[in-house]
Amino acid sequence: MLSVSPDPVVEDADESPYAVRVEDLSITYKTTFERKPTLKQALVRFGRGERKVHTVEALKNVSFDIRVGTAMGIIGSNGAGKSTLMRAMAGILPPTSGNVEVWGRASTLLALGVGFNKALSGRENIVLGGLAAGLSRREVEERVEEIAEWTELGEFIDMPMNTYSSGMAARVGFSVAVHMRPDILMIDEALSTGDAHFREKASAKMAELRDSARAMFLISHGLGSISEMCNDCIWLDKGRLMMRGSPEEVIDAYMTYVKVKKSPTTTEEM
């Protein structure tokens, strides 16, 4: 019988050839919505709608293990369970059943800018982000100037983030995460941020991290990015693991499944 862990079990990274192991992972949650009432129902309930509970099986018995040196791409349509899987591996979502084991410290780019205090400056949020990632005050102070310069925001880095565009805020979030020197890096749709110059710079940084981290996970609708940056790939559909293999094999199978022909346009954004 598998042990069920409410949080990923973080092991000594030096003692295992693995970075992550997922065993029979299932995540089910409930959400509520208000059904629009008919005129008769509205009169009976004084205009109030009827709240319904909907059960979502986000992941269904997903199992795989990731060895050190793997750059894993995760693909699938919207609602496939990709972000749910990433959040489970990061310890943000507890499993309903199954087990997640993680060897090493993970840094996540799951939603760029989430958790920032928009009343504070970009530089101050860099400090907050570093502390939240588990760095000491000294470690943060050693890196804050480097990170601030890497954002290429100039004088805006010392302005309140509530004056930033979404792209500027994303730059700060991306820059903080990639400078945490993690054992395991998890990225959810981060490479599309910024202009062409910054995207190229971000891709180069990702390649550097891929070579130095124990493992990297990348979720992207840009299948070209998956093919270019990953050496392994899984495809999820409606919470189930459909296939694992080389990025080229899995992407071809996925595109056949969704009945889309391969082209520069479709592999760039699907």
Side-chain angles (χ1 to χ4, degrees), residues 77-227:
S77 303
N78 290 330
K82 305 184 299 295
S83 294
T84 299
L85 174 60
M86 194 85 88
R87 284 165 168 77
M89 292 189 294
I92 297 170
L93 282 179
T96 303
S97 62
N99 189 49
V100 178
E101 294 176 280
V102 177
W103 286 267
R105 182 171 62 87
S107 177
T108 59
L109 279 75
L110 299 175
L112 295 174
V114 170
F116 283 158
N117 185 332
K118 299 299 178 66
L120 299 180
S121 70
R123 189 184 303 275
E124 290 168 326
N125 275 292
I126 289 172
V127 173
L128 288 180
L131 294 174
L135 298 184
S136 68
R137 170 67 68 171
R138 188 181 71 179
E139 288 175 316
V140 172
E141 290 174 350
E142 289 173 350
R143 300 181 197 180
V144 64
E145 193 59 37
E146 176 189 0
I147 297 172
E149 290 183 8
W150 207 86
T151 66
E152 298 184 354
L153 291 178
E155 62 184 13
F156 284 101
I157 198 65
D158 291 307
M159 294 183 181
M161 285 192 69
N162 56 21
T163 66
Y164 286 17
S165 67
S166 58
M168 292 166 68
R171 282 193 181 203
V172 177
F174 182 88
S175 300
V176 169
V178 298
H179 283 83
M180 292 300 104
R181 299 170 191 167
D183 298 310
I184 300 167
L185 185 62
M186 300 180 183
I187 312 103
D188 189 345
E189 296 292 1
L191 296 178
S192 61
T193 184
D195 55 24
H197 165 70
F198 193 81
R199 287 199 302 272
E200 183 176 350
K201 181 178 177 179
S203 295
K205 186 65 176 178
M206 294 299 306
E208 175 189 328
L209 289 170
R210 179 190 60 201
D211 294 337
S212 61
R214 289 176 60 82
M216 182 184 80
F217 294 87
L218 173 61
I219 293 175
S220 179
H221 287 288
L223 301 182
S225 296
I226 296 287
S227 181

